[in-house]
Amino acid sequence: MFRLSNRSKRRRSGVDPRLIEISDLAIQITVVDFGHPADGGLRSAERQNDMFHLGLSKCDGYKRLSKHQTGKALDVYAYVDGKASWDTEHLAMVAAAFLQAASMLGHKLEWGGLWTSFQDYPHFQLLD
Ligand SMILES: [Zn+2]
């Protein structure tokens, strides 16, 4: 069983309490450890715009808003063999835990790895 680091917990601050509940339950049931990256939680429009210009997001923060700007999204990385991993296989295992946790809690959660236009494997967002 894994525990979320204090750093990962800090990176969730300001996000919707339902996402924190999901993250707290997911860390207890996941078979692959995970953490939350810098910029993985709540973002200002300025920060969102910076990330857009860095090619890290498709939302510019002004004309096209990210769910990260309203606290309705949370990103993860997998933690495998003592280091962060963004391998699709590892992230899919983490996603299984997130989707199961959301279902157990009765929250509607969407995983970016299941999007059809492009896949955003580290990304989760609430549907309402
Ligand atoms: Zn995201």
Side-chain angles (χ1 to χ4, degrees):
M1 182 163 144
F2 304 111
R3 290 190 56 200
L4 212 54
S5 70
N6 287 329
R7 190 169 62 176
S8 281
K9 285 183 184 170
R10 278 197 304 277
R11 288 168 171 172
R12 302 185 306 187
S13 64
V15 305
D16 190 294
R18 290 171 294 174
L19 284 171
I20 293 180
E21 259 192 298
I22 292 167
S23 166
D24 279 343
L25 182 53
I27 196 69
Q28 295 175 53
I29 61 177
T30 188
V31 295
V32 170
D33 197 5
F34 67 83
H36 297 294
D39 297 312
L42 185 64
R43 296 174 195 159
S44 66
E46 293 79 5
R47 184 60 195 150
Q48 185 63 44
N49 193 253
D50 288 345
M51 294 182 74
F52 174 74
H53 287 292
L54 289 167
L56 300 172
S57 175
K58 294 189 183 291
C59 303
D60 70 358
Y62 296 106
K63 289 194 207 98
R64 191 170 168 194
L65 302 191
S66 163
K67 288 229 175 188
H68 284 284
Q69 294 174 252
T70 52
K72 304 280 190 200
L74 187 60
D75 295 340
V76 300
Y77 58 86
Y79 194 73
V80 179
D81 295 332
K83 57 184 196 298
S85 164
W86 279 269
D87 285 1
T88 305
E89 272 179 54
H90 295 145
L91 291 172
M93 300 295 274
V94 174
F98 266 72
L99 295 171
Q100 188 186 342
S103 167
M104 289 164 76
L105 293 163
H107 302 321
K108 290 201 176 86
L109 187 74
E110 188 173 66
W111 176 39
L114 294 175
W115 290 345
T116 49
S117 50
F118 81 102
Q119 285 77 45
D120 190 355
Y121 293 99
H123 179 94
F124 298 88
Q125 63 184 38
L126 292 167
L127 285 180
D128 49 29

